[in-house]
Amino acid sequence: MVVRIRLARFGCRNRPFYRLMAADGRSPRDGKHLEVLGYYNPLPGKDGGKRMGLNFDRVKYWLSVGAQPSDPVERILFRAGILPPPPMLAMARKGGPRDRRPIDPMTGRPLDLEGVTVVDDPHPPESGDGAPNEEAA
């Protein structure tokens, strides 16, 4: 039995509300579940933020026994600080080639790494003639 951690939709039309659930992978989205782990309200409240509540101990337990989070749950757990950032690639257009630049998980925008130097690089940057740069002190 594959256990998935996923969202079950509640609320009425145009006002979604989700519960974070541990469920058998074969059961339907809003069907039978094993345990309710939290909630997520994607609509902004009066303060402008999205509301989320998680039972951290139970989520960590289900992840430790091999439960697989769905993609939206993986993003929610990353924002809560439980999981590392999911790998994300930007799409140029639907069905088109993928943009291979890394994505900032908080904003969803591509990162610009042109001006960044790698500290762990064992080779110093080279000048145009192939010789290492000699900087005057």
Side-chain angles (χ1 to χ4, degrees):
M1 175 172 80
V2 176
V3 176
R4 301 280 304 195
I5 299 176
R6 62 180 176 213
L7 297 172
R9 189 173 196 259
F10 290 89
C12 50
R13 186 177 59 181
N14 297 329
R15 306 230 359 122
F17 179 83
Y18 298 95
R19 285 190 185 153
L20 197 73
M21 301 203 171
D24 181 11
R26 296 171 294 187
S27 64
R29 179 191 72 182
D30 298 333
K32 185 178 173 184
H33 61 274
L34 301 172
E35 184 176 359
V36 177
L37 304 173
Y39 66 89
Y40 172 66
N41 188 357
L43 298 177
K46 293 189 186 280
D47 61 350
K50 298 176 182 178
R51 306 235 181 249
M52 175 174 55
L54 296 173
N55 187 345
F56 288 100
D57 295 333
R58 296 306 295 170
V59 170
K60 287 180 182 178
Y61 165 76
W62 282 108
L63 291 172
S64 70
V65 296
Q68 297 294 315
S70 65
D71 292 339
V73 170
E74 195 173 9
R75 288 192 299 270
I76 289 172
L77 295 180
F78 161 68
R79 290 201 169 111
I82 296 176
L83 289 179
M88 296 169 39
L89 297 174
M91 282 286 262
R93 63 180 188 276
K94 187 173 180 180
R98 290 185 180 266
D99 186 1
R100 294 293 179 187
R101 292 181 292 175
I103 302 295
D104 181 18
M106 296 305 278
T107 62
R109 295 191 175 126
L111 292 174
D112 185 23
L113 299 177
E114 290 179 8
V116 178
T117 59
V118 178
V119 178
D120 297 337
D121 191 8
H123 305 292
E126 296 181 0
S127 63
D129 59 356
N133 283 344
E134 297 294 328
E135 294 185 21

